[in-house]
């Protein structure tokens, strides 16, 4: 009887996970794989500047910044990246990657306060390129939003700012 109940519970969990994944578009699935691979790469491992080139090549969209004509600006943006990227990794480590998950932001419309920025003109067009991360124990309560570059499926920004009701993602070309 216990074995039958265990199998039944596993089927329910598997069906629930599959149903959630079926809501992902092809691009959203690629965004999801990018972020999962990124955090698996750095699980229990510190970021240092020797890993920067690999991070840019595989996970974080930084190409438009590197094409800037001002070497000083490029160096400032790289320095900023080296300061904020470890903080993101630290947050994931402190919460525990096993406790976090992400889903398309469009699925969080029920949370009016959270979804409000994506109804504005500034962010409406970016909605298809976002995933929202949340604590698996509180899936209805979003924590934050990740923005991806649509062609490469790399992470473009993970900080959404609100300045007096004007919302924007902090990307490295803004530094």
């Amino acid at each position: 009887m216990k074995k039958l109940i265990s199998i039944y519970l596993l089927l329910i969990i598997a069906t629930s996970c599959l149903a959630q994944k079926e809501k992902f578009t092809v691009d959203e699935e690629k965004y999801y794989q990018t972020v999962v691979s990124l955090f698996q790469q750095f699980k229990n491992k510190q970021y240092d500047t020797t890993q920067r080139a690999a991070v840019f090549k595989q996970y974080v969209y930084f190409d438009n910044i590197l094409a800037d004509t001002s070497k000083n600006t490029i160096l400032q943006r790289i320095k900023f990246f080296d300061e904020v990227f470890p903080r993101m990794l630290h947050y994931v480590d402190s919460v525990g990657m096993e406790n976090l998950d992400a889903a398309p932001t469009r699925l969080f419309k029920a949370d009016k306060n959270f979804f409000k920025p994506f109804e504005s003109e500034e962010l409406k067009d970016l909605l298809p390129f976002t995933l929202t991360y949340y604590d698996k124990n509180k899936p209805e309560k979003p924590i934050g939003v990740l923005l991806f570059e649509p062609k490469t499926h790399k992470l473009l920004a993970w900080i959404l700012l609100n300045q007096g009701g004007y919302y924007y993602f902090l990307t490295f070309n803004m530094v």
Side-chain angles (χ1 to χ4, degrees):
M1 184 66 173
K2 285 183 182 181
K3 192 174 186 178
L4 185 61
I5 291 173
S6 295
I7 291 172
Y8 180 70
L9 287 174
L10 274 171
L11 284 173
I12 290 173
I13 292 169
T15 304
S16 171
C17 289
L18 287 174
Q20 171 101 4
K21 291 292 182 193
E22 285 177 18
K23 295 178 183 176
F24 282 53
T25 66
V26 171
D27 285 329
E28 290 165 345
E29 184 61 41
K30 289 178 182 178
Y31 303 149
Y32 185 81
Q33 289 307 315
T34 296
V35 78
V36 168
S37 296
L38 169 65
F39 292 127
Q40 285 176 341
Q41 174 71 27
F42 286 98
K43 187 174 183 176
N44 302 321
K45 193 163 81 171
Q46 295 289 326
Y47 168 80
D48 64 61
T49 58
T50 63
Q51 300 158 320
R52 183 189 315 122
V55 169
F56 291 166
K57 183 178 180 183
Q58 294 179 299
Y59 307 113
V60 176
Y61 187 78
F62 211 78
D63 297 342
N64 61 339
I65 284 61
L66 297 176
D68 196 315
T69 56
S70 166
K71 290 290 181 196
N72 189 38
T73 303
I74 293 171
L75 293 174
Q76 286 177 327
R77 291 173 178 165
I78 289 173
K79 182 181 178 199
F80 181 71
F81 175 85
D82 288 338
E83 291 171 359
V84 298
F85 186 69
R87 291 179 189 166
M88 178 183 67
L89 297 174
H90 175 73
Y91 172 76
V92 173
D93 281 345
S94 66
V95 173
M97 192 171 103
E98 63 280 353
N99 296 319
L100 295 172
D101 205 355
T105 302
R106 61 185 168 74
L107 300 178
F108 290 86
K109 288 180 181 177
D111 187 330
K112 298 290 186 202
N113 289 332
F114 177 79
F115 196 77
K116 181 181 177 183
F118 295 96
E119 294 172 339
S120 70
E121 288 302 314
E122 297 92 28
L123 298 183
K124 186 184 291 186
D125 293 339
L126 297 179
L127 182 62
F129 315 120
T130 63
L131 294 181
T132 292
Y133 59 96
Y134 58 91
D135 183 329
K136 287 180 183 177
N137 296 317
K138 300 174 188 172
E140 71 289 342
K141 184 69 179 144
I143 298 171
V145 183
L146 306 169
L147 175 65
F148 294 85
E149 196 282 325
K151 291 179 185 163
T152 63
H153 301 100
K154 292 180 186 178
L155 186 60
L156 184 59
W158 55 88
I159 301 170
L160 179 63
L161 298 173
N162 175 4
Q163 287 191 325
Y166 178 77
Y167 296 91
Y168 62 95
F169 282 97
L170 180 61
T171 58
F172 297 105
N173 61 352
M174 298 180 80
V175 179

